[in-house]
PDB file of all heavy atoms in Angstrom:
ATOM      1  N   LEU B   1     -75.830  -7.393  -7.661  1.00 72.00           N
ATOM      2  CA  LEU B   1     -75.678  -7.717  -9.119  1.00 72.00           C
ATOM      3  C   LEU B   1     -76.693  -7.000  -9.932  1.00 72.00           C
ATOM      4  O   LEU B   1     -76.479  -6.502 -11.001  1.00 72.00           O
ATOM      5  CB  LEU B   1     -75.781  -9.228  -9.335  1.00 72.00           C
ATOM      6  CG  LEU B   1     -75.602  -9.755 -10.741  1.00 72.00           C
ATOM      7  CD1 LEU B   1     -74.184  -9.492 -11.192  1.00 72.00           C
ATOM      8  CD2 LEU B   1     -75.971 -11.208 -10.788  1.00 72.00           C
ATOM      9  N   GLU B   2     -77.960  -6.917  -9.351  1.00 75.00           N
ATOM     10  CA  GLU B   2     -78.980  -6.201 -10.114  1.00 75.00           C
ATOM     11  C   GLU B   2     -78.660  -4.661 -10.209  1.00 75.00           C
ATOM     12  O   GLU B   2     -78.878  -4.076 -11.241  1.00 75.00           O
ATOM     13  CB  GLU B   2     -80.367  -6.386  -9.318  1.00 75.00           C
ATOM     14  CG  GLU B   2     -81.457  -5.649  -9.942  1.00 75.00           C
ATOM     15  CD  GLU B   2     -82.774  -5.848  -9.209  1.00 75.00           C
ATOM     16  OE1 GLU B   2     -82.743  -6.629  -8.202  1.00 75.00           O
ATOM     17  OE2 GLU B   2     -83.794  -5.193  -9.563  1.00 75.00           O
ATOM     18  N   TYR B   3     -78.174  -4.053  -9.112  1.00 78.00           N
ATOM     19  CA  TYR B   3     -77.921  -2.674  -9.129  1.00 78.00           C
ATOM     20  C   TYR B   3     -76.754  -2.354 -10.056  1.00 78.00           C
ATOM     21  O   TYR B   3     -76.664  -1.172 -10.520  1.00 78.00           O
ATOM     22  CB  TYR B   3     -77.660  -2.143  -7.697  1.00 78.00           C
ATOM     23  CG  TYR B   3     -78.828  -2.095  -6.836  1.00 78.00           C
ATOM     24  CD1 TYR B   3     -78.931  -2.556  -5.569  1.00 78.00           C
ATOM     25  CD2 TYR B   3     -80.003  -1.411  -7.333  1.00 78.00           C
ATOM     26  CE1 TYR B   3     -80.064  -2.539  -4.753  1.00 78.00           C
ATOM     27  CE2 TYR B   3     -81.154  -1.319  -6.552  1.00 78.00           C
ATOM     28  CZ  TYR B   3     -81.137  -1.916  -5.227  1.00 78.00           C
ATOM     29  OH  TYR B   3     -82.299  -1.800  -4.501  1.00 78.00           O
ATOM     30  N   ARG B   4     -75.810  -3.252 -10.248  1.00 78.00           N
ATOM     31  CA  ARG B   4     -74.640  -2.934 -11.071  1.00 78.00           C
ATOM     32  C   ARG B   4     -74.816  -3.369 -12.512  1.00 78.00           C
ATOM     33  O   ARG B   4     -74.588  -2.628 -13.453  1.00 78.00           O
ATOM     34  CB  ARG B   4     -73.445  -3.727 -10.501  1.00 78.00           C
ATOM     35  CG  ARG B   4     -73.033  -3.207  -9.111  1.00 78.00           C
ATOM     36  CD  ARG B   4     -72.375  -1.788  -9.284  1.00 78.00           C
ATOM     37  NE  ARG B   4     -71.878  -1.334  -7.958  1.00 78.00           N
ATOM     38  CZ  ARG B   4     -70.701  -1.576  -7.511  1.00 78.00           C
ATOM     39  NH1 ARG B   4     -69.790  -2.258  -8.152  1.00 78.00           N
ATOM     40  NH2 ARG B   4     -70.397  -1.055  -6.248  1.00 78.00           N
ATOM     41  N   MET B   5     -75.345  -4.618 -12.713  1.00 79.00           N
ATOM     42  CA  MET B   5     -75.385  -5.219 -14.099  1.00 79.00           C
ATOM     43  C   MET B   5     -76.482  -4.708 -14.952  1.00 79.00           C
ATOM     44  O   MET B   5     -76.402  -4.441 -16.135  1.00 79.00           O
ATOM     45  CB  MET B   5     -75.405  -6.758 -13.988  1.00 79.00           C
ATOM     46  CG  MET B   5     -74.199  -7.339 -13.314  1.00 79.00           C
ATOM     47  SD  MET B   5     -72.625  -6.803 -14.155  1.00 79.00           S
ATOM     48  CE  MET B   5     -72.865  -7.432 -15.776  1.00 79.00           C
ATOM     49  N   VAL B   6     -77.673  -4.597 -14.309  1.00 82.00           N
ATOM     50  CA  VAL B   6     -78.804  -4.135 -15.145  1.00 82.00           C
ATOM     51  C   VAL B   6     -78.573  -2.754 -15.703  1.00 82.00           C
ATOM     52  O   VAL B   6     -78.833  -2.540 -16.904  1.00 82.00           O
ATOM     53  CB  VAL B   6     -80.129  -4.143 -14.244  1.00 82.00           C
ATOM     54  CG1 VAL B   6     -81.285  -3.534 -15.030  1.00 82.00           C
ATOM     55  CG2 VAL B   6     -80.455  -5.630 -13.924  1.00 82.00           C
ATOM     56  N   PRO B   7     -78.151  -1.676 -14.898  1.00 84.00           N
ATOM     57  CA  PRO B   7     -77.868  -0.382 -15.512  1.00 84.00           C
ATOM     58  C   PRO B   7     -76.750  -0.514 -16.578  1.00 84.00           C
ATOM     59  O   PRO B   7     -76.755   0.234 -17.544  1.00 84.00           O
ATOM     60  CB  PRO B   7     -77.403   0.418 -14.318  1.00 84.00           C
ATOM     61  CG  PRO B   7     -78.018  -0.202 -13.128  1.00 84.00           C
ATOM     62  CD  PRO B   7     -78.008  -1.676 -13.435  1.00 84.00           C
ATOM     63  N   LEU B   8     -75.774  -1.320 -16.273  1.00 84.00           N
ATOM     64  CA  LEU B   8     -74.637  -1.471 -17.278  1.00 84.00           C
ATOM     65  C   LEU B   8     -75.177  -2.003 -18.588  1.00 84.00           C
ATOM     66  O   LEU B   8     -74.703  -1.491 -19.668  1.00 84.00           O
ATOM     67  CB  LEU B   8     -73.510  -2.409 -16.688  1.00 84.00           C
ATOM     68  CG  LEU B   8     -72.360  -2.695 -17.604  1.00 84.00           C
ATOM     69  CD1 LEU B   8     -71.612  -1.364 -17.863  1.00 84.00           C
ATOM     70  CD2 LEU B   8     -71.429  -3.710 -16.926  1.00 84.00           C
ATOM     71  N   LEU B   9     -75.953  -3.116 -18.566  1.00 85.00           N
ATOM     72  CA  LEU B   9     -76.447  -3.694 -19.806  1.00 85.00           C
ATOM     73  C   LEU B   9     -77.341  -2.657 -20.587  1.00 85.00           C
ATOM     74  O   LEU B   9     -77.108  -2.548 -21.816  1.00 85.00           O
ATOM     75  CB  LEU B   9     -77.274  -4.974 -19.470  1.00 85.00           C
ATOM     76  CG  LEU B   9     -76.326  -6.137 -18.959  1.00 85.00           C
ATOM     77  CD1 LEU B   9     -77.265  -7.340 -18.613  1.00 85.00           C
ATOM     78  CD2 LEU B   9     -75.345  -6.516 -19.951  1.00 85.00           C
ATOM     79  N   ILE B  10     -78.151  -1.959 -19.876  1.00 86.00           N
ATOM     80  CA  ILE B  10     -79.019  -0.924 -20.541  1.00 86.00           C
ATOM     81  C   ILE B  10     -78.207   0.095 -21.179  1.00 86.00           C
ATOM     82  O   ILE B  10     -78.422   0.531 -22.303  1.00 86.00           O
ATOM     83  CB  ILE B  10     -80.091  -0.400 -19.539  1.00 86.00           C
ATOM     84  CG1 ILE B  10     -81.082  -1.466 -19.045  1.00 86.00           C
ATOM     85  CG2 ILE B  10     -80.795   0.779 -20.163  1.00 86.00           C
ATOM     86  CD1 ILE B  10     -81.993  -1.036 -18.023  1.00 86.00           C
ATOM     87  N   SER B  11     -77.155   0.565 -20.394  1.00 85.00           N
ATOM     88  CA  SER B  11     -76.333   1.698 -20.912  1.00 85.00           C
ATOM     89  C   SER B  11     -75.474   1.203 -22.190  1.00 85.00           C
ATOM     90  O   SER B  11     -75.331   1.933 -23.045  1.00 85.00           O
ATOM     91  CB  SER B  11     -75.373   2.146 -19.917  1.00 85.00           C
ATOM     92  OG  SER B  11     -74.510   3.081 -20.302  1.00 85.00           O
ATOM     93  N   LEU B  12     -75.046   0.002 -22.158  1.00 82.00           N
ATOM     94  CA  LEU B  12     -74.191  -0.561 -23.207  1.00 82.00           C
ATOM     95  C   LEU B  12     -75.002  -0.780 -24.471  1.00 82.00           C
ATOM     96  O   LEU B  12     -74.511  -0.568 -25.569  1.00 82.00           O
ATOM     97  CB  LEU B  12     -73.490  -1.913 -22.824  1.00 82.00           C
ATOM     98  CG  LEU B  12     -72.446  -1.826 -21.733  1.00 82.00           C
ATOM     99  CD1 LEU B  12     -71.909  -3.229 -21.475  1.00 82.00           C
ATOM    100  CD2 LEU B  12     -71.365  -0.835 -22.154  1.00 82.00           C
ATOM    101  N   VAL B  13     -76.294  -1.119 -24.361  1.00 84.00           N
ATOM    102  CA  VAL B  13     -77.195  -1.273 -25.520  1.00 84.00           C
ATOM    103  C   VAL B  13     -77.357   0.128 -26.154  1.00 84.00           C
ATOM    104  O   VAL B  13     -77.281   0.235 -27.432  1.00 84.00           O
ATOM    105  CB  VAL B  13     -78.474  -1.870 -25.098  1.00 84.00           C
ATOM    106  CG1 VAL B  13     -79.519  -1.778 -26.262  1.00 84.00           C
ATOM    107  CG2 VAL B  13     -78.325  -3.340 -24.750  1.00 84.00           C
ATOM    108  N   ARG B  14     -77.573   1.128 -25.313  1.00 84.00           N
ATOM    109  CA  ARG B  14     -77.745   2.495 -25.831  1.00 84.00           C
ATOM    110  C   ARG B  14     -76.474   2.990 -26.559  1.00 84.00           C
ATOM    111  O   ARG B  14     -76.493   3.548 -27.644  1.00 84.00           O
ATOM    112  CB  ARG B  14     -78.211   3.449 -24.739  1.00 84.00           C
ATOM    113  CG  ARG B  14     -78.252   4.864 -25.142  1.00 84.00           C
ATOM    114  CD  ARG B  14     -78.646   5.748 -23.970  1.00 84.00           C
ATOM    115  NE  ARG B  14     -77.795   5.508 -22.804  1.00 84.00           N
ATOM    116  CZ  ARG B  14     -76.603   6.114 -22.706  1.00 84.00           C
ATOM    117  NH1 ARG B  14     -76.073   6.889 -23.618  1.00 84.00           N
ATOM    118  NH2 ARG B  14     -75.845   5.880 -21.653  1.00 84.00           N
ATOM    119  N   ILE B  15     -75.328   2.733 -25.883  1.00 82.00           N
ATOM    120  CA  ILE B  15     -74.085   3.231 -26.476  1.00 82.00           C
ATOM    121  C   ILE B  15     -73.690   2.481 -27.738  1.00 82.00           C
ATOM    122  O   ILE B  15     -73.191   3.084 -28.712  1.00 82.00           O
ATOM    123  CB  ILE B  15     -72.986   3.037 -25.407  1.00 82.00           C
ATOM    124  CG1 ILE B  15     -73.156   3.958 -24.283  1.00 82.00           C
ATOM    125  CG2 ILE B  15     -71.576   3.204 -26.058  1.00 82.00           C
ATOM    126  CD1 ILE B  15     -72.250   3.689 -23.110  1.00 82.00           C
ATOM    127  N   GLY B  16     -74.086   1.122 -27.827  1.00 77.00           N
ATOM    128  CA  GLY B  16     -73.844   0.437 -29.081  1.00 77.00           C
ATOM    129  C   GLY B  16     -74.583   1.048 -30.244  1.00 77.00           C
ATOM    130  O   GLY B  16     -74.049   1.216 -31.309  1.00 77.00           O
ATOM    131  N   ASP B  17     -75.871   1.396 -29.948  1.00 80.00           N
ATOM    132  CA  ASP B  17     -76.638   2.046 -31.077  1.00 80.00           C
ATOM    133  C   ASP B  17     -76.064   3.357 -31.417  1.00 80.00           C
ATOM    134  O   ASP B  17     -75.979   3.772 -32.691  1.00 80.00           O
ATOM    135  CB  ASP B  17     -78.049   2.154 -30.549  1.00 80.00           C
ATOM    136  CG  ASP B  17     -78.813   0.835 -30.357  1.00 80.00           C
ATOM    137  OD1 ASP B  17     -78.387  -0.090 -30.971  1.00 80.00           O
ATOM    138  OD2 ASP B  17     -79.735   0.805 -29.624  1.00 80.00           O
ATOM    139  N   GLU B  18     -75.616   4.135 -30.486  1.00 79.00           N
ATOM    140  CA  GLU B  18     -75.006   5.477 -30.758  1.00 79.00           C
ATOM    141  C   GLU B  18     -73.715   5.343 -31.543  1.00 79.00           C
ATOM    142  O   GLU B  18     -73.484   6.147 -32.503  1.00 79.00           O
ATOM    143  CB  GLU B  18     -74.791   6.245 -29.509  1.00 79.00           C
ATOM    144  CG  GLU B  18     -76.033   6.661 -28.730  1.00 79.00           C
ATOM    145  CD  GLU B  18     -75.805   7.297 -27.418  1.00 79.00           C
ATOM    146  OE1 GLU B  18     -74.576   7.413 -27.063  1.00 79.00           O
ATOM    147  OE2 GLU B  18     -76.730   7.835 -26.746  1.00 79.00           O
ATOM    148  N   LEU B  19     -72.938   4.355 -31.196  1.00 75.00           N
ATOM    149  CA  LEU B  19     -71.599   4.161 -31.907  1.00 75.00           C
ATOM    150  C   LEU B  19     -71.890   3.751 -33.365  1.00 75.00           C
ATOM    151  O   LEU B  19     -71.171   4.143 -34.314  1.00 75.00           O
ATOM    152  CB  LEU B  19     -70.750   3.140 -31.176  1.00 75.00           C
ATOM    153  CG  LEU B  19     -70.148   3.606 -29.837  1.00 75.00           C
ATOM    154  CD1 LEU B  19     -69.351   2.501 -29.156  1.00 75.00           C
ATOM    155  CD2 LEU B  19     -69.256   4.838 -30.024  1.00 75.00           C
ATOM    156  N   THR B  20     -72.830   2.913 -33.527  1.00 73.00           N
ATOM    157  CA  THR B  20     -73.169   2.479 -34.923  1.00 73.00           C
ATOM    158  C   THR B  20     -73.680   3.634 -35.765  1.00 73.00           C
ATOM    159  O   THR B  20     -73.301   3.807 -36.903  1.00 73.00           O
ATOM    160  CB  THR B  20     -74.269   1.369 -34.877  1.00 73.00           C
ATOM    161  OG1 THR B  20     -73.804   0.274 -34.031  1.00 73.00           O
ATOM    162  CG2 THR B  20     -74.610   0.823 -36.260  1.00 73.00           C
ATOM    163  N   ALA B  21     -74.559   4.493 -35.144  1.00 76.00           N
ATOM    164  CA  ALA B  21     -75.025   5.671 -35.841  1.00 76.00           C
ATOM    165  C   ALA B  21     -73.895   6.606 -36.176  1.00 76.00           C
ATOM    166  O   ALA B  21     -73.859   7.184 -37.184  1.00 76.00           O
ATOM    167  CB  ALA B  21     -76.126   6.333 -35.089  1.00 76.00           C
ATOM    168  N   ALA B  22     -72.990   6.777 -35.224  1.00 73.00           N
ATOM    169  CA  ALA B  22     -71.754   7.648 -35.366  1.00 73.00           C
ATOM    170  C   ALA B  22     -70.940   7.107 -36.499  1.00 73.00           C
ATOM    171  O   ALA B  22     -70.390   8.014 -37.370  1.00 73.00           O
ATOM    172  CB  ALA B  22     -71.035   7.820 -34.138  1.00 73.00           C
ATOM    173  N   ALA B  23     -70.775   5.907 -36.629  1.00 68.00           N
ATOM    174  CA  ALA B  23     -69.869   5.258 -37.714  1.00 68.00           C
ATOM    175  C   ALA B  23     -70.485   5.584 -39.091  1.00 68.00           C
ATOM    176  O   ALA B  23     -69.812   5.888 -40.035  1.00 68.00           O
ATOM    177  CB  ALA B  23     -69.675   3.789 -37.423  1.00 68.00           C
ATOM    178  N   LEU B  24     -71.830   5.345 -39.166  1.00 70.00           N
ATOM    179  CA  LEU B  24     -72.486   5.545 -40.445  1.00 70.00           C
ATOM    180  C   LEU B  24     -72.510   7.075 -40.800  1.00 70.00           C
ATOM    181  O   LEU B  24     -72.342   7.448 -41.986  1.00 70.00           O
ATOM    182  CB  LEU B  24     -73.914   5.036 -40.362  1.00 70.00           C
ATOM    183  CG  LEU B  24     -74.081   3.540 -40.163  1.00 70.00           C
ATOM    184  CD1 LEU B  24     -75.522   3.083 -40.067  1.00 70.00           C
ATOM    185  CD2 LEU B  24     -73.426   2.759 -41.374  1.00 70.00           C
ATOM    186  N   THR B  25     -72.553   7.954 -39.768  1.00 72.00           N
ATOM    187  CA  THR B  25     -72.597   9.355 -40.026  1.00 72.00           C
ATOM    188  C   THR B  25     -71.251   9.802 -40.517  1.00 72.00           C
ATOM    189  O   THR B  25     -71.194  10.752 -41.336  1.00 72.00           O
ATOM    190  CB  THR B  25     -72.962  10.099 -38.715  1.00 72.00           C
ATOM    191  OG1 THR B  25     -74.260   9.679 -38.209  1.00 72.00           O
ATOM    192  CG2 THR B  25     -73.020  11.677 -38.914  1.00 72.00           C
TER     193      THR B  25
END
């Protein structure tokens, strides 16, 4: 669970920020 979920959560947080910035751009 640690090897799968921790990288997933970190990646999703980063992608969420990128998508928000892309929408504003």
Side-chain angles (χ1 to χ4, degrees):
L1 183 65
E2 178 183 354
Y3 287 130
R4 293 288 180 89
M5 296 307 299
V6 172
L8 178 63
L9 294 176
I10 295 175
S11 179
L12 292 181
V13 170
R14 175 181 53 82
I15 292 174
D17 293 337
E18 292 178 354
L19 291 177
T20 303
L24 296 176
T25 303

